[in-house]
Amino acid sequence: MTSATPVSDAYPYLRAASAGVRHHTRALTPREQTAPPPADRVHLDVLHAHLTALHQLLDHLATTTRPPHSAAGRQLATAHTRLWQSAAAVHEAFHLLPSANDTATDAGCHPERLPDGPPVLTICQRHLAAGHVVRRKTTPSDLNTPLHGHTTTCSQ
């Protein structure tokens, strides 16, 4: 007799995070003629935290999947790289948005000048920590390579 976890009970935190993202996306969808407010630095900071957490999860899954299932592990490693590219773009967008304290536009990475002061883990510190993992496991050419072989159809 096996005691496999039912699919509905598997990975409850990941399912809850996905549900939260879906709920947030629906909340941003305009129901009337008014447009939703544009993204602000706080919103992008939280989104970056979510992306770097997913990045860490994909790193772990790619590492553990690759030995027994090399093709699947390579695909997860590719997803890991693409997710890093997304997190890097969100980090850049964060610095392009004005803060409450900005008098001039400065797109530099200055955690000490964040609107509410530097929190325990700023977006820049988080990004640098995730970047360390990326540089350890990914080549610069992989990071700059566009997605190859992507199709919108399922292969099975």
Side-chain angles (χ1 to χ4, degrees):
M1 179 178 236
T2 61
S3 61
T5 304
V7 174
S8 62
D9 294 338
Y11 314 108
Y13 298 117
L14 188 56
R15 287 186 306 108
S18 298
V21 169
R22 283 191 305 271
H23 175 74
H24 185 72
T25 302
R26 280 192 302 270
L28 287 177
T29 304
R31 298 189 198 303
E32 299 171 9
Q33 296 294 355
T34 60
D40 58 9
R41 283 183 157 208
V42 174
H43 192 183
L44 292 185
D45 184 30
V46 173
L47 181 60
H48 186 269
H50 187 76
L51 288 172
T52 54
L54 284 173
H55 184 260
Q56 186 178 9
L57 176 63
L58 269 174
D59 179 44
H60 177 71
L61 290 174
T63 301
T64 57
T65 303
R66 186 171 259 173
H69 308 287
S70 61
R74 281 192 303 274
Q75 290 298 320
L76 290 173
T78 299
H80 175 259
T81 301
R82 300 303 174 239
L83 194 57
W84 168 252
Q85 291 169 333
S86 297
V90 168
H91 178 249
E92 289 173 21
F94 175 89
H95 287 295
L96 293 175
L97 289 176
S99 72
N101 300 335
D102 278 351
T103 55
T105 7
D106 181 9
C109 192
H110 302 282
E112 72 281 0
R113 294 189 326 199
L114 288 174
D116 299 322
V120 175
L121 182 63
T122 67
I123 187 172
C124 299
Q125 290 169 330
R126 184 184 325 111
H127 195 71
L128 290 172
H132 177 71
V133 172
V134 168
R135 284 188 299 279
R136 215 171 8 102
K137 296 186 174 194
T138 312
T139 66
S141 63
D142 285 342
L143 291 174
N144 294 320
T145 303
L147 186 58
H148 293 314
H150 177 72
T151 61
T152 56
T153 59
C154 185
S155 61
Q156 292 200 3

